[in-house]
Structure formats: structure tokens, C-alpha cells
Amino acid sequence: MNPMMNQVSLSPASVRAGGRTAAVRFATGTASLGAVLVARSDAGICAILLGDEPEALVQELRERFADAEVAGGDAATRDLLARVLRFIEAPRGDLDLPLDAGGTDFQQRVWQALRGIPAGETAGYAEIARRIGAPKAVRAVAQACGANPIAVAIPCHRVVRSDGALSGYRWGVARKRALLDNERKRALLEKEAQA
């Protein structure tokens, strides 16, 4: 498991329990994709949500961590939000941040595999299933992508159908397309700069 992805304060049981006893801090901002919410526990980022309205994202966060102490406005979380917003607009490499994703062991394996897809590239659901040693679990891989609470840092937008077509995305196919287009443009610029 990647040391940057852990479950210290928001274990799967804690997430299922609504984050009881956990403290979750959040900040919201706006990117070209719309509203962005970044939330963190003491162990790392526990949510990056995308949407149309910041208020709806805050409501989604409060529902996800119903029993947690959820509050906004601290400087550390605003700094994380700024890093995420910069990455969305100008992706370089990977968004290497400490993560506190929770999830089942299977979801953790899928999300770790997603973090191995370079920016500007894509992989199919079947390919991810093979990478994690579960080649028949294509549907479960798709479900794990849909359950991903951390957009962009766990790049489920880089997973496409076997024919290369875009399929569903928790935060909308238009956002998925925009993220991929932005990453591909950036990767092309970097290759040209190295040539």
C-alpha cells in the first residue's frame, strides 16, 4: 500500500459509522470544472468533491461524515485546496498528497492502481482488474471507481471503457472529459518542451 494512502483516522468502519469521533476540515473553491471541495482528517485528504454549487458539496460531505465534527476555514485545508485547484488547471505529474480514503481492501487496491496511471493516459476497467490480480472483477472495479471519494488525487477519471470511450463518472462525464483533455494537453506540452 502506498504510504501516502492510509486510513488512520477514518478507517472503513469509521466511514461506515459516519465518521464518529473524527474531525473533518474542509475548504471550497472554484475551478474551470465548477465547484471543488477538499476535506481532510488528521491523517490526510478524505474527500475531494466536484460539482456545480459549493453548498451542495458541503451538504454531501456532512452526509458522508454525519457524526464527525465537520468545520471549514483552517489554513492547512485552504492550502490543500489551492494545490488541488492548481493541479486541476495545470496538471503536472501526480497530485501527491497524503490520503485518508477509507474504503474496503478491494477498493484500496483499485484506488492504488488508479494512482499508477500517468497523467494524460487512460486504462480500461479490465486492465485495472488484471493489475490488481482480479481479472474477473471488472464490474467490481467499476463500482470501486464510482465509490471513490477523492476526485483527481485518486484519478478514476483516467479509467475508460475497453473501446476507449468515456463511461460514467461520479462527477459527470463532461468533467471527466475536461480533466482528461487538460492532462493530455499538459503532457503534450511537456513532451514538446523536452524534445
Side-chain angles (χ1 to χ4, degrees):
M1 183 183 330
N2 185 331
M4 298 301 282
M5 185 184 297
N6 55 59
Q7 0 186 27
V8 175
S9 68
L10 293 177
S11 67
S14 180
V15 171
R16 283 191 298 273
R20 226 177 325 278
T21 75
V24 175
R25 303 291 176 251
F26 71 90
T28 60
T30 305
S32 58
L33 300 174
V36 178
L37 179 144
V38 174
R40 69 174 180 86
S41 69
D42 289 338
I45 292 178
C46 57
I48 298 177
L49 307 177
L50 307 174
D52 296 324
E53 299 294 330
E55 298 80 14
L57 298 180
V58 172
Q59 181 62 34
E60 181 181 341
L61 181 73
R62 290 187 188 283
E63 289 170 5
R64 179 171 174 77
F65 300 107
D67 294 325
E69 174 196 334
V70 177
D74 74 320
T77 308
R78 288 192 302 271
D79 288 345
L80 289 171
L81 172 66
R83 286 182 66 184
V84 170
L85 292 175
R86 281 193 302 272
F87 183 83
I88 288 171
E89 301 306 333
R92 288 182 180 213
D94 290 318
L95 188 55
D96 191 21
L97 296 170
L99 302 182
D100 188 11
T104 66
D105 288 341
F106 182 84
Q107 288 171 330
Q108 288 282 339
R109 289 172 37 216
V110 170
W111 297 339
Q112 186 61 39
L114 299 182
R115 294 187 83 195
I117 304 170
E121 296 181 22
T122 59
Y125 294 99
E127 182 180 343
I128 297 299
R130 283 191 302 276
R131 285 185 192 181
I132 65 168
K136 295 183 180 182
V138 175
R139 187 173 289 240
V141 166
Q143 290 170 340
C145 289
N148 172 22
I150 305 178
V152 187
I154 299 176
C156 55
H157 64 276
R158 295 179 189 156
V159 183
V160 296
R161 292 188 339 203
S162 59
D163 64 1
L166 300 185
S167 56
Y169 182 55
R170 179 178 179 173
W171 296 287
V173 173
R175 284 188 182 93
K176 182 174 188 168
R177 182 175 292 109
L179 284 165
L180 288 171
D181 287 349
N182 204 9
E183 288 181 354
R184 287 176 178 140
K185 287 175 191 171
R186 179 57 111 177
L188 184 61
L189 288 173
E190 289 177 2
K191 282 183 184 176
E192 289 174 354
Q194 293 173 355

